[in-house]
Coordinates of all heavy atoms in Angstrom, one line a residue:
M6 N 0.8 -1.2 0.0 CA 0.0 -0.1 0.0 C 0.9 1.2 0.0 O 1.8 1.3 0.8 CB -0.9 0.0 1.2 CG -1.6 1.3 1.5 SD -2.5 1.3 3.0 CE -3.9 0.3 2.6
V7 N 0.6 2.2 -0.9 CA 1.3 3.4 -0.9 C 0.7 4.5 -0.1 O -0.5 4.7 -0.2 CB 1.5 3.9 -2.4 CG1 2.1 5.3 -2.5 CG2 2.2 2.9 -3.3
K8 N 1.5 5.1 0.8 CA 1.1 6.3 1.6 C 2.0 7.5 1.2 O 3.1 7.2 0.6 CB 1.2 6.0 3.1 CG 0.4 4.9 3.6 CD -1.0 5.3 3.9 CE -1.7 4.2 4.6 NZ -3.0 4.6 5.2
F9 N 1.6 8.6 1.5 CA 2.5 9.8 1.3 C 3.0 10.3 2.6 O 2.2 10.6 3.6 CB 1.7 10.9 0.6 CG 1.4 10.5 -0.9 CD1 0.4 9.6 -1.3 CD2 2.3 11.0 -1.9 CE1 0.2 9.2 -2.5 CE2 2.1 10.5 -3.2 CZ 1.0 9.7 -3.5
V10 N 4.3 10.5 2.7 CA 4.9 10.8 4.0 C 5.3 12.3 3.9 O 6.1 12.7 2.9 CB 6.1 10.0 4.2 CG1 6.9 10.4 5.5 CG2 5.7 8.5 4.3
L11 N 4.9 13.1 4.9 CA 5.2 14.5 4.9 C 6.4 14.8 5.8 O 6.6 14.2 6.9 CB 4.0 15.3 5.6 CG 4.2 16.7 5.9 CD1 4.3 17.5 4.6 CD2 3.1 17.2 6.8
T12 N 7.3 15.5 5.2 CA 8.5 16.0 5.9 C 8.5 17.6 5.8 O 8.4 18.0 4.6 CB 9.8 15.5 5.4 OG1 9.8 14.1 5.4 CG2 11.0 15.9 6.2
L13 N 8.5 18.3 6.9 CA 8.4 19.8 6.8 C 9.6 20.3 7.6 O 10.0 19.9 8.6 CB 7.1 20.2 7.5 CG 6.8 21.7 7.4 CD1 5.3 21.8 7.1 CD2 7.1 22.4 8.7
W14 N 10.2 21.4 7.0 CA 11.4 22.1 7.5 C 11.0 23.5 7.7 O 10.3 24.2 7.0 CB 12.5 22.0 6.6 CG 13.1 20.7 6.3 CD1 14.1 20.0 6.9 CD2 12.7 19.8 5.3 NE1 14.4 18.8 6.4 CE2 13.5 18.6 5.3 CE3 11.8 19.9 4.2 CZ2 13.4 17.6 4.4 CZ3 11.7 18.8 3.3 CH2 12.4 17.7 3.4
L15 N 11.7 24.1 8.8 CA 11.7 25.5 9.0 C 13.0 26.0 8.7 O 14.1 25.5 9.2 CB 11.3 25.9 10.5 CG 11.4 27.3 10.9 CD1 10.3 28.1 10.1 CD2 11.1 27.5 12.4
C16 N 13.2 27.0 7.8 CA 14.5 27.4 7.4 C 14.6 28.9 7.5 O 13.7 29.6 7.9 CB 14.6 27.2 5.9 SG 14.3 25.4 5.4
S17 N 15.8 29.5 7.3 CA 16.2 30.8 7.5 C 17.1 31.3 6.4 O 17.9 30.4 5.9 CB 16.8 31.1 8.8 OG 17.3 32.4 8.8
T18 N 17.0 32.5 5.9 CA 17.9 33.0 4.9 C 19.1 33.6 5.6 O 20.1 34.1 4.8 CB 17.2 34.2 4.1 OG1 16.8 35.2 5.0 CG2 16.0 33.6 3.3
V19 N 19.3 33.6 6.9 CA 20.4 34.0 7.6 C 21.6 33.1 7.3 O 21.4 31.8 7.5 CB 20.2 34.2 9.1 CG1 21.5 34.5 9.8 CG2 19.1 35.3 9.3
P20 N 22.7 33.5 6.8 CA 23.9 32.7 6.5 C 24.3 31.9 7.7 O 24.3 32.5 8.9 CB 25.0 33.6 6.1 CG 24.3 34.8 5.6 CD 23.1 35.0 6.4
G21 N 24.6 30.6 7.6 CA 25.1 29.8 8.7 C 24.0 29.1 9.5 O 24.3 28.3 10.4
T22 N 22.8 29.3 9.1 CA 21.7 28.6 9.7 C 21.2 27.4 8.9 O 21.2 27.5 7.7 CB 20.4 29.5 10.1 OG1 20.0 30.0 8.9 CG2 20.9 30.7 11.1
D23 N 20.8 26.4 9.5 CA 20.4 25.2 8.8 C 18.9 25.0 8.9 O 18.3 25.5 9.9 CB 21.1 23.9 9.4 CG 22.5 23.8 9.2 OD1 23.0 24.3 8.1 OD2 23.2 23.3 10.1
C24 N 18.3 24.4 8.0 CA 16.9 24.1 8.1 C 16.7 23.0 9.1 O 17.5 22.1 9.3 CB 16.3 23.6 6.7 SG 16.3 24.8 5.5
K25 N 15.6 23.1 9.9 CA 15.4 22.1 11.0 C 14.0 21.4 10.6 O 13.1 22.1 10.3 CB 15.2 22.8 12.4 CG 16.4 23.7 12.7 CD 17.6 22.8 13.1 CE 18.7 23.6 13.6 NZ 20.0 23.1 13.4
I26 N 14.0 20.1 10.8 CA 12.7 19.4 10.6 C 11.7 19.7 11.7 O 12.1 19.8 12.9 CB 13.0 17.9 10.6 CG1 13.7 17.5 9.3 CG2 11.7 17.1 10.7 CD1 14.1 16.0 9.2
V27 N 10.5 20.0 11.3 CA 9.5 20.4 12.3 C 8.5 19.2 12.4 O 8.0 18.7 11.4 CB 8.7 21.6 11.8 CG1 7.5 21.9 12.7 CG2 9.6 22.8 11.6
P28 N 8.3 18.6 13.6 CA 7.4 17.5 13.8 C 6.0 18.0 13.5 O 5.6 19.1 13.8 CB 7.5 17.1 15.2 CG 8.5 18.1 15.9 CD 9.0 19.1 14.8
T29 N 5.2 17.1 12.9 CA 3.8 17.4 12.6 C 3.0 16.3 13.3 O 3.5 15.2 13.5 CB 3.5 17.4 11.1 OG1 3.9 16.2 10.6 CG2 4.2 18.6 10.4
K30 N 1.7 16.6 13.6 CA 0.8 15.6 14.3 C 0.6 14.5 13.3 O 0.5 13.3 13.7 CB -0.5 16.2 14.8 CG -0.3 17.1 16.0 CD -1.7 17.6 16.5 CE -1.4 18.4 17.7 NZ -2.7 18.9 18.2
I31 N 0.4 14.7 12.1 CA 0.1 13.7 11.1 C 1.2 13.6 10.2 O 1.8 14.6 9.7 CB -1.2 14.0 10.3 CG1 -2.4 14.3 11.2 CG2 -1.5 12.9 9.3 CD1 -3.6 14.8 10.4
I32 N 1.8 12.4 9.9 CA 2.9 12.1 9.1 C 2.6 11.5 7.8 O 3.1 11.8 6.7 CB 4.0 11.4 9.8 CG1 4.5 12.1 11.1 CG2 5.2 11.0 8.9 CD1 5.3 11.4 12.0
T33 N 1.7 10.5 7.8 CA 1.3 9.8 6.6 C -0.1 10.1 6.2 O -1.0 10.3 7.0 CB 1.5 8.2 6.8 OG1 0.6 7.8 7.9 CG2 2.9 7.8 7.2
F34 N -0.3 10.1 4.9 CA -1.5 10.5 4.3 C -1.9 9.4 3.1 O -1.1 8.8 2.6 CB -1.4 11.9 3.6 CG -1.1 12.9 4.6 CD1 0.2 13.1 5.0 CD2 -2.1 13.6 5.2 CE1 0.5 14.1 5.9 CE2 -1.9 14.6 6.2 CZ -0.5 14.8 6.6
E35 N -3.2 9.4 2.9 CA -3.7 8.4 1.9 C -3.4 8.7 0.5 O -3.3 7.9 -0.3 CB -5.2 8.2 2.1 CG -5.7 7.6 3.4 CD -5.2 6.2 3.6 OE1 -5.2 5.4 2.6 OE2 -4.7 5.9 4.6
D36 N -3.3 10.1 0.3 CA -3.0 10.6 -1.1 C -2.2 11.8 -1.1 O -2.0 12.5 -0.1 CB -4.4 10.8 -1.9 CG -5.3 11.7 -1.2 OD1 -4.8 12.7 -0.7 OD2 -6.5 11.5 -1.3
H37 N -1.6 12.2 -2.3 CA -0.8 13.3 -2.4 C -1.6 14.6 -2.1 O -1.1 15.5 -1.4 CB -0.3 13.4 -3.9 CG 0.6 14.6 -4.1 ND1 1.9 14.6 -3.7 CD2 0.4 15.7 -4.8 CE1 2.4 15.8 -4.1 NE2 1.6 16.5 -4.8
Y38 N -2.8 14.8 -2.5 CA -3.6 15.9 -2.3 C -3.7 16.2 -0.8 O -3.5 17.4 -0.3 CB -5.0 15.7 -2.9 CG -5.9 16.9 -2.6 CD1 -6.0 18.0 -3.4 CD2 -6.8 16.9 -1.5 CE1 -6.8 19.1 -3.1 CE2 -7.6 17.9 -1.2 CZ -7.7 19.0 -2.0 OH -8.5 20.1 -1.7
S39 N -4.1 15.2 0.0 CA -4.3 15.4 1.4 C -3.0 15.8 2.1 O -3.0 16.7 3.0 CB -4.7 14.1 2.0 OG -6.0 13.7 1.6
C40 N -1.9 15.3 1.6 CA -0.5 15.6 2.2 C -0.2 17.0 1.9 O 0.3 17.8 2.8 CB 0.5 14.7 1.6 SG 2.1 14.9 2.3
I41 N -0.3 17.5 0.7 CA 0.1 18.9 0.4 C -0.8 19.9 1.0 O -0.4 21.0 1.5 CB 0.3 19.2 -1.2 CG1 -1.0 19.0 -1.9 CG2 1.3 18.3 -1.7 CD1 -1.0 19.5 -3.3
V42 N -2.1 19.6 1.1 CA -3.1 20.6 1.7 C -2.6 20.7 3.2 O -2.6 21.9 3.7 CB -4.5 20.1 1.5 CG1 -5.4 20.9 2.5 CG2 -4.9 20.2 0.1
Y43 N -2.4 19.6 3.8 CA -2.0 19.6 5.3 C -0.6 20.4 5.4 O -0.4 21.2 6.3 CB -1.9 18.2 5.8 CG -1.5 18.2 7.2 CD1 -2.5 18.2 8.3 CD2 -0.2 18.1 7.7 CE1 -2.2 18.2 9.6 CE2 0.1 18.1 9.1 CZ -0.9 18.1 10.0 OH -0.6 18.1 11.3
G44 N 0.3 20.1 4.5 CA 1.6 20.8 4.5 C 1.6 22.3 4.4 O 2.1 23.0 5.1
Y45 N 0.7 22.8 3.5 CA 0.5 24.2 3.3 C -0.2 24.8 4.5 O 0.2 25.9 5.0 CB -0.2 24.5 2.0 CG 0.6 24.5 0.8 CD1 0.3 23.6 -0.3 CD2 1.7 25.4 0.6 CE1 1.1 23.5 -1.4 CE2 2.5 25.3 -0.5 CZ 2.1 24.4 -1.6 OH 2.9 24.3 -2.6
D46 N -1.2 24.1 5.0 CA -1.9 24.6 6.2 C -1.1 24.7 7.4 O -1.0 25.7 8.1 CB -3.2 23.8 6.4 CG -4.1 24.3 7.6 OD1 -4.5 25.5 7.5 OD2 -4.3 23.5 8.5
H47 N -0.3 23.6 7.6 CA 0.6 23.6 8.8 C 1.7 24.7 8.6 O 2.1 25.3 9.6 CB 1.2 22.2 8.9 CG 1.9 22.0 10.3 ND1 1.2 21.7 11.4 CD2 3.2 22.0 10.6 CE1 2.0 21.6 12.4 NE2 3.2 21.8 11.9
S48 N 2.2 24.8 7.5 CA 3.2 25.9 7.2 C 2.7 27.3 7.5 O 3.3 28.1 8.2 CB 3.7 25.8 5.7 OG 4.4 24.6 5.5
Y49 N 1.5 27.6 7.1 CA 0.8 28.8 7.3 C 0.7 29.1 8.8 O 1.0 30.1 9.3 CB -0.5 28.9 6.6 CG -1.3 30.1 7.0 CD1 -1.0 31.3 6.4 CD2 -2.3 30.1 8.0 CE1 -1.8 32.5 6.8 CE2 -3.0 31.2 8.3 CZ -2.8 32.4 7.7 OH -3.5 33.5 8.0
K50 N 0.2 28.0 9.5 CA 0.0 28.2 10.9 C 1.3 28.3 11.7 O 1.4 29.1 12.7 CB -0.8 27.0 11.5 CG -2.3 27.0 11.0 CD -2.9 25.7 11.5 CE -4.5 25.8 11.0 NZ -5.1 24.5 11.3
L51 N 2.3 27.7 11.2 CA 3.6 27.7 11.9 C 4.2 29.2 11.8 O 4.6 29.8 12.8 CB 4.6 26.7 11.2 CG 6.0 26.6 11.9 CD1 5.9 26.0 13.3 CD2 6.8 25.7 11.0
I52 N 4.2 29.6 10.5 CA 4.8 31.0 10.3 C 4.0 32.1 11.0 O 4.6 33.0 11.6 CB 5.0 31.2 8.8 CG1 6.1 30.3 8.2 CG2 5.3 32.8 8.5 CD1 7.5 30.7 8.7
T53 N 2.7 32.0 10.9 CA 1.9 33.1 11.5 C 1.9 33.0 13.0 O 1.5 33.9 13.7 CB 0.5 33.1 11.0 OG1 -0.1 31.8 11.2 CG2 0.4 33.4 9.5
G54 N 2.4 31.8 13.5 CA 2.5 31.8 15.0 C 3.7 32.5 15.6 O 3.9 32.6 16.8
Y55 N 4.6 32.8 14.7 CA 5.8 33.5 15.2 C 5.6 35.0 15.1 O 4.8 35.5 14.3 CB 7.1 33.1 14.3 CG 7.5 31.7 14.5 CD1 7.5 30.8 13.5 CD2 8.2 31.3 15.7 CE1 7.9 29.5 13.7 CE2 8.6 30.1 15.9 CZ 8.5 29.1 15.0 OH 8.9 27.9 15.1
D56 N 6.4 35.8 15.8 CA 6.4 37.2 15.8 C 6.8 37.7 14.4 O 7.8 37.2 13.8 CB 7.3 37.7 16.9 CG 7.4 39.2 16.9 OD1 6.5 39.8 17.3 OD2 8.4 39.7 16.5
K57 N 6.1 38.6 13.8 CA 6.4 39.2 12.5 C 7.9 39.7 12.4 O 8.5 39.5 11.4 CB 5.4 40.3 12.2 CG 5.6 40.9 10.8 CD 4.5 42.0 10.6 CE 4.7 42.6 9.3 NZ 3.7 43.6 9.0
E58 N 8.3 40.4 13.5 CA 9.7 40.9 13.5 C 10.7 39.8 13.4 O 11.7 39.9 12.7 CB 9.9 41.9 14.6 CG 9.0 43.1 14.5 CD 9.5 44.3 15.2 OE1 10.7 44.3 15.7 OE2 8.7 45.2 15.4
W59 N 10.5 38.8 14.1 CA 11.4 37.6 14.1 C 11.4 36.9 12.8 O 12.5 36.7 12.3 CB 11.0 36.6 15.2 CG 11.9 35.4 15.2 CD1 13.1 35.3 15.9 CD2 11.8 34.2 14.6 NE1 13.7 34.1 15.7 CE2 12.9 33.4 14.9 CE3 10.8 33.7 13.7 CZ2 13.1 32.1 14.3 CZ3 11.0 32.4 13.2 CH2 12.1 31.6 13.5
V60 N 10.3 36.7 12.2 CA 10.2 36.1 10.8 C 11.0 37.0 9.8 O 11.8 36.5 9.0 CB 8.7 36.0 10.3 CG1 8.7 35.5 8.9 CG2 8.0 34.9 11.2
N61 N 10.8 38.3 9.9 CA 11.5 39.2 9.0 C 13.0 39.2 9.3 O 13.8 39.2 8.4 CB 10.9 40.7 9.1 CG 9.5 40.8 8.5 OD1 9.2 40.1 7.5 ND2 8.7 41.7 8.9
S62 N 13.4 39.3 10.5 CA 14.8 39.4 10.8 C 15.5 38.0 10.5 O 16.7 38.1 10.1 CB 15.0 39.7 12.3 OG 14.7 38.6 13.1
M63 N 14.8 36.9 10.6 CA 15.5 35.6 10.3 C 15.3 35.3 8.9 O 15.9 34.2 8.4 CB 14.9 34.5 11.2 CG 15.2 34.7 12.7 SD 16.9 34.8 13.0 CE 17.4 33.1 12.7
G64 N 14.4 35.9 8.1 CA 14.1 35.5 6.8 C 13.5 34.0 6.8 O 13.8 33.2 6.0
A65 N 12.6 33.8 7.8 CA 12.1 32.5 8.1 C 11.2 32.0 6.9 O 10.4 32.9 6.4 CB 11.4 32.4 9.4
Y66 N 11.3 30.8 6.6 CA 10.3 30.2 5.6 C 10.2 28.7 5.9 O 11.1 28.1 6.6 CB 10.8 30.5 4.2 CG 12.0 29.8 3.8 CD1 12.1 28.6 3.1 CD2 13.2 30.5 4.0 CE1 13.3 28.0 2.7 CE2 14.5 29.9 3.6 CZ 14.5 28.7 3.0 OH 15.6 28.1 2.6
T67 N 9.2 28.1 5.3 CA 9.1 26.6 5.4 C 9.2 26.0 4.1 O 9.1 26.6 3.0 CB 7.7 26.2 6.0 OG1 6.7 26.7 5.1 CG2 7.5 26.8 7.4
K68 N 9.6 24.7 4.1 CA 9.5 23.9 2.8 C 9.1 22.5 3.3 O 9.3 22.2 4.5 CB 10.8 23.9 2.1 CG 12.0 23.3 2.8 CD 13.3 23.4 2.0 CE 14.4 22.7 2.7 NZ 15.6 22.7 1.8
F69 N 8.5 21.8 2.4 CA 8.0 20.5 2.7 C 7.9 19.6 1.5 O 7.9 20.1 0.4 CB 6.7 20.5 3.5 CG 5.5 20.9 2.6 CD1 4.7 20.0 1.9 CD2 5.1 22.2 2.5 CE1 3.7 20.3 1.1 CE2 4.0 22.6 1.9 CZ 3.3 21.7 1.1
T70 N 8.0 18.3 1.7 CA 7.8 17.3 0.7 C 6.7 16.3 1.1 O 6.5 16.1 2.3 CB 9.1 16.5 0.4 OG1 9.5 15.8 1.5 CG2 10.3 17.4 -0.1
C71 N 6.1 15.8 0.1 CA 5.2 14.6 0.3 C 5.7 13.5 -0.6 O 5.4 13.5 -1.8 CB 3.8 15.0 -0.1 SG 3.1 16.2 1.0
E72 N 6.4 12.6 0.0 CA 6.9 11.5 -0.8 C 6.1 10.2 -0.7 O 5.7 9.8 0.4 CB 8.3 11.2 -0.1 CG 9.3 12.3 0.0 CD 10.1 12.5 -1.3 OE1 10.3 11.5 -2.1 OE2 10.6 13.6 -1.6
P73 N 5.9 9.6 -1.8 CA 5.2 8.3 -1.8 C 6.1 7.2 -1.2 O 7.3 7.1 -1.6 CB 4.9 8.0 -3.3 CG 5.8 8.8 -4.1 CD 6.2 10.0 -3.2
K74 N 5.6 6.5 -0.4 CA 6.3 5.3 0.3 C 5.5 4.1 0.4 O 4.3 4.2 0.7 CB 6.8 5.7 1.7 CG 7.6 6.9 1.8 CD 9.0 6.7 1.5 CE 9.9 7.9 1.6 NZ 11.2 7.8 1.2
E75 N 6.1 3.0 0.0 CA 5.4 1.7 0.2 C 5.3 1.4 1.7 O 6.3 1.2 2.3 CB 6.1 0.7 -0.6 CG 5.4 -0.7 -0.7 CD 4.1 -0.6 -1.5 OE1 4.0 0.1 -2.5 OE2 3.1 -1.3 -1.2
I76 N 4.1 1.2 2.2 CA 3.9 0.9 3.6 C 3.3 -0.5 3.6 O 2.3 -0.8 3.0 CB 3.0 1.9 4.3 CG1 3.4 3.3 4.2 CG2 2.8 1.5 5.8 CD1 4.7 3.8 4.8
S77 N 4.0 -1.4 4.4 CA 3.5 -2.9 4.5 C 2.4 -2.9 5.5 O 2.6 -2.3 6.6 CB 4.5 -3.8 4.8 OG 5.2 -3.5 5.9
S78 N 1.3 -3.5 5.1 CA 0.2 -3.6 6.1 C 0.4 -4.8 6.9 O 0.9 -5.9 6.5 CB -1.2 -3.7 5.4 OG -1.2 -4.6 4.3
V79 N 0.1 -4.8 8.3 CA 0.4 -5.8 9.1 C -0.9 -6.7 9.4 O -1.9 -6.2 9.4 CB 0.9 -5.2 10.5 CG1 1.2 -6.4 11.5 CG2 2.2 -4.5 10.3

């Protein structure tokens, strides 16, 4: 069975900073659509949860992937 696995990062445009993986409540999805909708929604909520000045000073942004993975059913 194929599921879509979400990986989301919080990144910065400040030199010397690395992107960090952000844990999400839901990791696997039934289809690509559900995964990307959740990824965009979670990204929006994450960024708007930070102070505007911090986001601007850090050049903060998110990125995410929804990778198809074969999941064996038990």
Side-chain angles (χ1 to χ4, degrees):
M6 167 185 287
V7 174
K8 298 274 187 168
F9 288 82
V10 178
L11 173 68
T12 306
L13 186 136
W14 295 269
L15 178 62
C16 303
S17 170
T18 60
V19 174
T22 58
D23 295 325
C24 294
K25 305 289 186 210
I26 291 179
V27 176
T29 58
K30 287 186 179 184
I31 304 172
I32 298 171
T33 59
F34 298 84
E35 295 296 319
D36 56 38
H37 181 75
Y38 176 86
S39 300
C40 185
I41 63 168
V42 168
Y43 184 88
Y45 281 116
D46 185 55
H47 194 78
S48 292
Y49 173 79
K50 289 175 181 172
L51 183 68
I52 290 295
T53 58
Y55 289 113
D56 178 71
K57 181 179 179 178
E58 295 201 14
W59 181 84
V60 172
N61 287 330
S62 69
M63 295 301 291
Y66 65 96
T67 61
K68 63 182 184 178
F69 67 90
T70 61
C71 291
E72 302 274 337
K74 300 282 182 185
E75 187 68 36
I76 308 291
S77 57
S78 49
V79 179

